[in-house]
Amino acid sequence: MRKLTSWISYKEDCDFSIYNIPFGIFSTKNKSPRLGIAIGDKVLDLAGVAKQGFFDKIKIDKKVFSQNTLNDFISTGKPKTKKVRLTLQKLLSGKSSALQDFPKLFHNQSAVKMHLPVAIGDYTDFYSSIEHATNVGMMFRDPANALLPNWRHIPVGYHGRSSSIIVSGENIKRPKGQLMMKDAKRPVYKPSQRVDFELEMGFIIGKDSALGKPVSIEKAEDHIFGLALFNDWSARDIQKWEYVPLGPFLGKNFASSLSPWIVTLEALDPFRVQGPKQKPAVQPYLKYSGLQNYDINLDVSITPNKGSENIVSHSNFKFMYWNMIQQLAHHTVNGCNVRVGDLMASGTISGKDVNSYGSMLEIAWAGSKPITLNDGTQRKFINDNDTVTMRGYAEKEGVRVGFGEVKAKILPSD
Amino acid sequence: MRKLTSWISYKEDCDFSIYNIPFGIFSTKNKSPRLGIAIGDKVLDLAGVAKQGFFDKIKIDKKVFSQNTLNDFISTGKPKTKKVRLTLQKLLSGKSSALQDFPKLFHNQSAVKMHLPVAIGDYTDFYSSIEHATNVGMMFRDPANALLPNWRHIPVGYHGRSSSIIVSGENIKRPKGQLMMKDAKRPVYKPSQRVDFELEMGFIIGKDSALGKPVSIEKAEDHIFGLALFNDWSARDIQKWEYVPLGPFLGKNFASSLSPWIVTLEALDPFRVQGPKQKPAVQPYLKYSGLQNYDINLDVSITPNKGSENIVSHSNFKFMYWNMIQQLAHHTVNGCNVRVGDLMASGTISGKDVNSYGSMLEIAWAGSKPITLNDGTQRKFINDNDTVTMRGYAEKEGVRVGFGEVKAKILPSD
């Protein structure tokens, strides 16, 4: 890897190194939402950078940098968005830069408000970790045949709700709903007793496809702009009662949390690794070549109200059985179209051992093995006023590219 | 009902009577998409009506009538959209009107192109016909316990795909996908052999709700702008292999067809009827008062290529076990928010007897009872180059309010 340094100083373990340059939407006290990139602990105002003419050579419409979502920027296409990223990397590299003459374009991350980075048209959630699907199957179905017959043949997925996807930092009221309590004859209506996180990564569609035209696995990468951390909040008890036969609904759609910075596929390129071997062999439309998994370390923590942080899971995106290009090829093989800004999430990312499970359902094994936090309290699921934080980063040969965090606090029901 | 006549002449059985005034998006050869209403066999250009000052008293932003979706118009709120409809009804009533001075604002419906009327944020499909759910349960599960335990307690629903919702008249390629053939050990990849229609009605959300704030059943009607016909195309064989455990996905999202005219709740008010008795009693948040079902006659036909039309179902929207305000109250009871333009569909609308079943799956009982068309050919499902047309209208005391039609042809796979 080419060695890069920046005239912006940051710590060695900073997620937003010169190698990263992730895109997001931020606002400041006096100015409305617009595009920015993260570098060190700063946000660089891209509307301002564009105004000063730094992107003039790219022939990209300056207006896209003043929007309150990334959609128009992403829609300009990878050839342009790649050039914008490389231009910024160059402007932030080395010991001096023309950008140093514009200190007002830099804001402290702690001083800005981050917004949902994209207007999400459709959101799809996959179920692509074999360890997670196996754990769930063992708990709720047959331990000897935990994986359903279709699981190794198709990247199982389902449609989720876009309207309730929120950006990191927005808190969530504990959902109420119908629960069928053990041995009860009728459901009751009350706050969920089993609010859970799901550790996921989401990718953002970067290029439209036409209805009736599948995106081949060879072309799938062209349609992926970048990735973010995603917490697919779940109310296990609501879900359990409602999900047969048409799938999860109110058990999921009360909220999902997305991290504010979209890390491009280009920034993640050095961290590609081989995925798990797929047996039996997949259908030809799902056959891929090259390294299509990504080595991204993932952590989840629970922080009780006024308490300290407890890491409850160390997982890794590389564990995924089905990779992103397989998910996208499958999603469109029937002719379903995708649009810029659509979000596709991985499903819970669990590894082989309990320390790497991506949900409390698995960590505390459906409530049968509560965990003890460092304040002595126990958790089977998420309590009121607990904050759940997920973090992710890739690192190799001294190069670090991270996602920052996605966090939210569960507030009591009304 | 107050007796109204129009100076625009139309036949007695016209769906777009003076009592209706449905809203849609149309374009003409020389002019881009904009708002219109249907009256008789004409479309009235609302951008033009606004320009001439006919809505000035309503204090509604004229720009909303020049958009290519109804969303901004709907977002102005019911007090205003109701006034627009009543103003138009007045301008089109009686024997003369100031509008007669502007013949260029009227276009023949046959000469305009209709567009998808709303930008649909999220699309939810319910499963609210007890006859349909029972039929499906009898075919695929236990005939003695056809309804699942949750069915009478919650309006079961799931999230669908917005991107592939198309307007009536757009044709659809037969989807390909993984099918698990009878007695096979491995799935095959091929065109679906079981493409089916689902006769549904959809309602369009007319008012946003906030995340974390349920819409009470008393207020649900305020959030419904109007209704349209909806064909929730399904590939039964793709769906069968994929849907466990997370619900339908590629078996549905290759396309869904929406009729172009949104009939307002106000226009449908005279056709309210009592819904089926709900036993056991529903949870308090689902208890409703008044007449919440609508007596809307629904027909489905199949027209083979170069053949004549065959009506294969006569159903009625009044059969729904769960009504729209219950669906919306349930959808938001966990705090899930809704946005203007969201679409919520009823699920297949079946009645008690086979002539009123709303899908080929039920009409031909999973292929075991093929039907014969008037050209002598048989159908278990939909063949290539068949056109499926759905029509709907309400009628009472000589007053007719209709939806026109939603149709699409199934083209062969590539």
Coordinates of all heavy atoms in Angstrom, one line a residue, chain B residues 68-106:
Chain B
N68 N -44.6 15.9 -10.6 CA -44.8 14.7 -11.3 C -45.2 13.5 -10.4 O -45.2 12.4 -10.7 CB -43.6 14.3 -12.1 CG -42.3 14.1 -11.3 OD1 -42.4 14.2 -10.0 ND2 -41.2 13.8 -11.9
T69 N -45.6 13.9 -9.1 CA -46.2 13.0 -8.2 C -47.3 13.8 -7.4 O -47.2 15.0 -7.4 CB -45.3 12.3 -7.2 OG1 -44.8 13.4 -6.3 CG2 -44.1 11.7 -7.9
L70 N -48.2 13.0 -6.8 CA -49.2 13.7 -6.0 C -48.7 14.1 -4.6 O -49.4 14.8 -3.8 CB -50.4 12.8 -5.8 CG -51.3 12.4 -7.0 CD1 -52.3 11.4 -6.6 CD2 -51.9 13.7 -7.6
N71 N -47.5 13.7 -4.2 CA -47.0 13.8 -2.8 C -47.2 15.2 -2.3 O -47.7 15.4 -1.1 CB -45.6 13.3 -2.7 CG -45.5 11.8 -3.0 OD1 -45.9 11.4 -4.0 ND2 -44.9 11.0 -2.1
D72 N -46.7 16.2 -3.0 CA -46.7 17.6 -2.5 C -48.1 18.1 -2.3 O -48.5 18.8 -1.3 CB -45.9 18.5 -3.4 CG -44.4 18.4 -3.2 OD1 -44.0 17.6 -2.3 OD2 -43.7 19.0 -4.0
F73 N -49.0 17.7 -3.3 CA -50.4 18.1 -3.2 C -51.0 17.4 -1.9 O -51.7 18.1 -1.1 CB -51.1 17.6 -4.4 CG -52.6 17.7 -4.3 CD1 -53.3 18.9 -4.2 CD2 -53.4 16.5 -4.4 CE1 -54.6 19.0 -4.2 CE2 -54.8 16.6 -4.3 CZ -55.4 17.8 -4.2
I74 N -50.8 16.1 -1.7 CA -51.4 15.4 -0.6 C -50.8 16.1 0.7 O -51.6 16.2 1.7 CB -51.0 13.9 -0.7 CG1 -51.7 13.3 -1.9 CG2 -51.5 13.2 0.6 CD1 -51.3 11.8 -2.1
S75 N -49.6 16.4 0.7 CA -48.9 17.0 1.9 C -49.5 18.3 2.3 O -49.3 18.7 3.5 CB -47.4 17.2 1.7 OG -46.8 15.9 1.6
T76 N -50.2 19.0 1.5 CA -50.9 20.2 1.9 C -52.0 20.0 2.9 O -52.4 20.9 3.6 CB -51.5 21.0 0.7 OG1 -52.6 20.2 0.1 CG2 -50.5 21.3 -0.4
G77 N -52.4 18.8 3.0 CA -53.4 18.4 4.1 C -54.8 18.3 3.6 O -55.2 18.9 2.7
K78 N -55.5 17.5 4.4 CA -56.9 17.2 4.0 C -57.8 18.4 3.9 O -58.6 18.5 2.9 CB -57.6 16.2 4.9 CG -57.3 14.8 4.5 CD -58.4 13.8 4.9 CE -58.0 12.4 4.7 NZ -59.0 11.4 4.7
P79 N -57.7 19.4 4.8 CA -58.6 20.6 4.6 C -58.4 21.2 3.2 O -59.4 21.6 2.6 CB -58.1 21.5 5.8 CG -57.5 20.6 6.8 CD -56.9 19.4 6.0
K80 N -57.2 21.3 2.7 CA -57.0 21.9 1.4 C -57.4 20.9 0.3 O -58.0 21.3 -0.7 CB -55.5 22.3 1.3 CG -55.3 23.6 2.1 CD -54.0 24.3 1.8 CE -54.0 25.5 2.7 NZ -52.7 26.2 2.7
T81 N -56.9 19.7 0.4 CA -57.2 18.8 -0.8 C -58.7 18.5 -0.9 O -59.2 18.4 -2.0 CB -56.5 17.4 -0.6 OG1 -56.8 16.8 0.6 CG2 -55.0 17.6 -0.6
K82 N -59.4 18.5 0.2 CA -60.9 18.4 0.2 C -61.5 19.6 -0.5 O -62.4 19.5 -1.4 CB -61.5 18.4 1.6 CG -61.5 17.0 2.3 CD -62.2 17.2 3.6 CE -62.2 15.9 4.4 NZ -62.8 16.1 5.7
K83 N -61.0 20.8 -0.2 CA -61.5 22.0 -0.9 C -61.2 22.0 -2.4 O -62.0 22.5 -3.2 CB -60.9 23.3 -0.2 CG -61.6 23.7 1.0 CD -61.0 25.0 1.5 CE -61.4 25.2 3.0 NZ -60.5 26.1 3.7
V84 N -60.1 21.5 -2.7 CA -59.7 21.4 -4.2 C -60.7 20.5 -4.9 O -61.3 20.8 -5.9 CB -58.3 20.9 -4.4 CG1 -58.1 20.5 -5.9 CG2 -57.3 22.0 -4.0
R85 N -61.0 19.4 -4.3 CA -62.0 18.4 -4.9 C -63.4 19.0 -5.0 O -64.0 18.9 -6.0 CB -62.0 17.1 -4.0 CG -62.9 16.1 -4.6 CD -62.8 14.7 -3.9 NE -63.9 13.9 -4.3 CZ -65.1 13.9 -3.6 NH1 -65.2 14.7 -2.5 NH2 -66.1 13.2 -4.0
L86 N -63.8 19.7 -3.9 CA -65.1 20.3 -3.9 C -65.2 21.4 -4.9 O -66.2 21.6 -5.6 CB -65.5 20.7 -2.5 CG -65.8 19.6 -1.5 CD1 -66.1 20.1 -0.1 CD2 -66.9 18.7 -2.0
T87 N -64.1 22.2 -5.0 CA -64.1 23.3 -6.0 C -64.2 22.7 -7.4 O -65.0 23.2 -8.2 CB -62.8 24.1 -5.9 OG1 -62.7 24.6 -4.6 CG2 -62.7 25.2 -6.9
L88 N -63.5 21.6 -7.7 CA -63.6 21.0 -9.0 C -65.0 20.4 -9.3 O -65.5 20.6 -10.4 CB -62.5 19.9 -9.1 CG -61.1 20.5 -9.2 CD1 -60.1 19.3 -8.9 CD2 -60.8 21.1 -10.5
Q89 N -65.5 19.8 -8.2 CA -66.9 19.3 -8.4 C -67.9 20.4 -8.7 O -68.7 20.2 -9.6 CB -67.3 18.6 -7.1 CG -68.4 17.6 -7.2 CD -68.6 16.8 -5.9 OE1 -68.7 17.4 -4.9 NE2 -68.6 15.5 -6.0
K90 N -67.7 21.5 -8.1 CA -68.6 22.7 -8.4 C -68.4 23.2 -9.8 O -69.3 23.4 -10.5 CB -68.3 23.7 -7.4 CG -69.5 24.6 -7.0 CD -69.2 25.5 -5.8 CE -70.2 26.6 -5.7 NZ -69.9 27.5 -4.6
L91 N -67.1 23.3 -10.2 CA -66.8 23.8 -11.5 C -67.3 22.9 -12.6 O -67.5 23.3 -13.8 CB -65.3 24.0 -11.7 CG -64.7 25.2 -10.9 CD1 -63.1 25.1 -10.9 CD2 -65.1 26.5 -11.6
L92 N -67.4 21.6 -12.3 CA -67.8 20.6 -13.3 C -69.3 20.3 -13.2 O -69.8 19.5 -14.0 CB -67.0 19.3 -13.2 CG -65.5 19.5 -13.4 CD1 -64.7 18.3 -12.9 CD2 -65.3 19.7 -14.9
S93 N -70.0 20.9 -12.2 CA -71.4 20.6 -12.0 C -72.3 21.5 -12.8 O -71.9 22.5 -13.4 CB -71.8 20.8 -10.6 OG -71.2 19.8 -9.8
G94 N -73.5 21.1 -12.9 CA -74.6 21.9 -13.5 C -74.5 22.0 -15.0 O -73.9 21.1 -15.6
K95 N -75.0 23.1 -15.5 CA -75.1 23.2 -16.9 C -74.1 24.1 -17.5 O -73.8 24.1 -18.7 CB -76.5 23.6 -17.3 CG -77.5 22.5 -17.1 CD -78.8 22.8 -17.7 CE -79.8 21.6 -17.6 NZ -81.2 22.0 -17.7
S96 N -73.5 24.9 -16.7 CA -72.5 25.8 -17.3 C -71.5 26.1 -16.2 O -71.7 25.9 -15.0 CB -73.1 27.1 -17.8 OG -73.5 27.9 -16.6
S97 N -70.3 26.6 -16.6 CA -69.2 26.8 -15.7 C -68.2 27.6 -16.3 O -68.0 27.6 -17.6 CB -68.6 25.4 -15.3 OG -67.3 25.5 -14.9
A98 N -67.4 28.4 -15.5 CA -66.3 29.2 -16.0 C -65.3 28.3 -16.7 O -64.6 28.8 -17.6 CB -65.7 29.9 -14.9
L99 N -65.2 27.0 -16.4 CA -64.2 26.1 -17.0 C -64.5 25.9 -18.4 O -63.6 25.5 -19.2 CB -64.2 24.8 -16.2 CG -63.2 24.6 -15.1 CD1 -63.3 23.2 -14.6 CD2 -61.8 24.9 -15.6
Q100 N -65.7 26.1 -18.9 CA -66.1 25.9 -20.3 C -65.3 26.8 -21.2 O -65.2 26.5 -22.4 CB -67.6 26.0 -20.5 CG -68.3 24.7 -20.0 CD -69.8 24.8 -20.1 OE1 -70.4 25.5 -19.2 NE2 -70.4 24.2 -21.1
D101 N -64.8 27.9 -20.6 CA -64.0 28.8 -21.4 C -62.6 28.3 -21.7 O -61.8 29.0 -22.3 CB -63.9 30.2 -20.7 CG -65.3 30.8 -20.6 OD1 -66.2 30.5 -21.3 OD2 -65.5 31.6 -19.6
F102 N -62.2 27.2 -21.1 CA -60.9 26.7 -21.2 C -60.8 25.2 -21.7 O -60.4 24.3 -21.0 CB -60.1 26.8 -19.8 CG -60.1 28.1 -19.3 CD1 -61.1 28.6 -18.4 CD2 -59.1 29.0 -19.7 CE1 -61.0 29.9 -17.9 CE2 -59.1 30.3 -19.2 CZ -60.0 30.8 -18.3
P103 N -61.3 25.0 -22.9 CA -61.4 23.6 -23.5 C -60.1 23.0 -23.6 O -60.0 21.7 -23.5 CB -62.1 23.8 -24.8 CG -61.9 25.2 -25.2 CD -61.8 26.0 -23.9
K104 N -59.0 23.8 -23.7 CA -57.6 23.2 -23.8 C -57.1 22.5 -22.5 O -56.1 21.8 -22.6 CB -56.6 24.2 -24.3 CG -56.8 24.6 -25.7 CD -55.7 25.4 -26.3 CE -55.9 25.6 -27.8 NZ -55.0 26.7 -28.3
L105 N -57.8 22.8 -21.4 CA -57.4 22.1 -20.2 C -58.0 20.7 -20.1 O -57.6 19.9 -19.2 CB -57.9 22.9 -19.0 CG -57.3 24.3 -18.8 CD1 -57.9 25.0 -17.6 CD2 -55.8 24.2 -18.7
F106 N -58.8 20.3 -21.0 CA -59.4 19.0 -21.0 C -58.7 18.1 -22.1 O -58.6 18.6 -23.2 CB -60.9 19.0 -21.3 CG -61.7 19.6 -20.1 CD1 -61.9 21.0 -20.1 CD2 -62.2 18.8 -19.1 CE1 -62.6 21.6 -19.0 CE2 -62.9 19.4 -18.1 CZ -63.1 20.8 -18.0

